[in-house]
Amino acid sequence: VSENVDDTLVRVSREADLTDRVVASFATCPDPRLREVMSSLVRHLHGFIRDVRLTQAEWDAAIAFLTRAGHITDERRQEFILLSDVLGASMMTVAVNAPTRSDATEATVFGPFFVEGAPLISNGADIGAGMAGRPCYVHGTVRSATGYPLAGARVDVWAADDEGFYDVQYEGGPLAGRARLYTDDAGCFDYWTVEPAAYPIPHDGPVGDLLSATGRSPMRPAHIHFMVCHPEYRTLITHIFVDGDEWLDKDAVFGVKDSLVVPFSVHEPGRGPRGRVLREPWSSVSLDIALASDSPHV
Ligand SMILES: [Fe+2]
């Protein structure tokens, strides 16, 4: 049933008036940034509801979805980060905060698997003991975007095992495949771990249901997470991706950037770095991390 022109005008005006009144309710917000964010959020949210002519049943389903996301979230499971990631909101936030031109290493999503209190290790230590997967030696340097080596940079690393699972996904299991370490006087760090595998993001909850209802894959290409901090530079949150992975162009969370795809070399059994003797093939990867200046204007 099509409505006549007068009815349409009444409807449009009623909807616009509601948006205006809600936006106006923030006029006395003492924090100008909060006022800006909330006003824009309301305009976009109302615009979306009007755009798709959202039904009451659909809005009820959305509330139920978010309620489930809250209920499944705990210290080891973060459904809201997954939701942000699969909607590209995490990467859009990274994008709007990235400098347009920089020689610094590119950032990508934080993801839901960082854990506070990972073991502090010395350079050369093995954090892959007991984990499934091919031994992998990771060594890198941290420098300024202008090439100056940074000693004492804090490097947090975390990655999945060869089965594609993080330590926290094993019920009651120990922390593994994650650590905190610091660069040495030359700006270098290194450690042993296992080579990570591609994995599906946890898809037994509401975000998984959303992916299957929309015909999308939950897979992420194999990667290692890094968070690198130095007092005088901008903190970098990024990954390196394993070159050749079949999921590189189909990442469920849109996190891949070409500059972050690096080759992992495979080596024959024998003596490896740090005196380690390997009875099986092992791999190694080398990376060069450049931190942007803390000031956005430099
Ligand atoms: Fe990950």
Side-chain angles (χ1 to χ4, degrees):
V1 182
S2 59
E3 64 187 5
N4 65 40
V5 174
D6 284 349
D7 285 349
T8 303
L9 286 174
V10 167
R11 182 171 57 74
V12 167
S13 141
R14 181 178 62 207
E15 291 168 4
D17 178 61
L18 176 60
T19 301
D20 289 345
R21 284 192 290 125
V22 179
V23 169
S25 75
F26 296 112
T28 53
C29 175
D31 178 339
R33 175 61 176 167
L34 182 59
R35 180 168 67 236
E36 178 188 8
V37 169
M38 290 309 300
S39 302
S40 176
L41 174 66
V42 164
R43 280 198 200 90
H44 285 275
L45 180 61
H46 287 205
F48 154 73
I49 292 169
R50 295 165 68 177
D51 183 34
V52 301
R53 307 309 303 169
L54 197 74
T55 68
Q56 187 63 49
E58 287 165 342
W59 187 237
D60 292 346
I63 298 288
F65 177 92
L66 292 172
T67 303
R68 284 180 66 208
H71 285 162
I72 205 171
T73 294
D74 60 20
E75 312 77 51
R76 292 192 160 215
R77 172 76 178 256
Q78 227 307 352
E79 198 75 1
F80 289 101
I81 292 181
L82 290 182
L83 180 59
S84 165
D85 288 354
V86 303
L87 294 179
S90 302
M91 277 309 285
M92 185 57 83
T93 306
V94 168
V96 300
N97 287 288
T100 11
R101 280 177 64 107
S102 171
D103 295 325
T105 301
E106 291 192 281
T108 188
V109 292
F110 189 56
F113 293 117
F114 177 77
V115 174
E116 288 290 351
L120 177 65
I121 61 162
S122 302
N123 278 301
D126 179 16
I127 62 171
M131 292 177 79
R134 180 154 63 193
C136 179
Y137 178 68
V138 179
H139 56 114
T141 55
V142 179
R143 60 178 176 83
S144 69
T146 48
Y148 186 76
L150 299 178
R154 193 181 81 196
V155 182
D156 284 294
V157 303
W158 64 106
D161 63 14
D162 189 43
E163 309 286 323
F165 290 110
Y166 286 81
D167 51 0
V168 290
Q169 294 177 281
Y170 292 103
E171 195 74 42
L175 293 181
R178 67 177 71 243
R180 169 169 290 179
L181 61 168
Y182 288 85
T183 55
D184 65 17
D185 289 345
C188 299
F189 67 92
D190 68 309
Y191 64 96
W192 279 95
T193 185
V194 295
E195 199 170 311
Y199 66 80
I201 62 166
H203 56 107
D204 57 344
V207 170
D209 291 349
L210 174 67
L211 291 177
S212 65
T214 52
R216 282 178 48 181
S217 161
M219 290 301 292
R220 295 212 64 206
H223 58 272
I224 300 175
H225 293 259
F226 291 89
M227 177 162 63
V228 184
C229 306
H230 187 284
E232 291 154 41
Y233 293 84
R234 189 189 280 225
T235 293
L236 173 70
I237 293 169
T238 195
H239 308 351
I240 55 170
F241 294 91
V242 180
D243 193 15
D245 189 286
E246 64 174 303
W247 298 98
L248 280 174
D249 60 353
K250 302 185 269 293
D251 184 2
V253 309
F254 312 96
V256 179
K257 291 176 175 173
D258 289 347
S259 69
L260 302 177
V261 178
V262 293
F264 282 55
S265 312
V266 181
H267 309 275
E268 292 302 311
R271 185 171 290 272
R274 295 280 186 179
R276 184 165 173 181
V277 176
L278 297 116
R279 293 192 197 84
E280 56 194 319
W282 55 283
S283 66
S284 66
V285 61
S286 144
L287 61 149
D288 170 39
I289 293 171
L291 299 185
S293 165
D294 208 16
S295 161
H297 304 298
V298 175

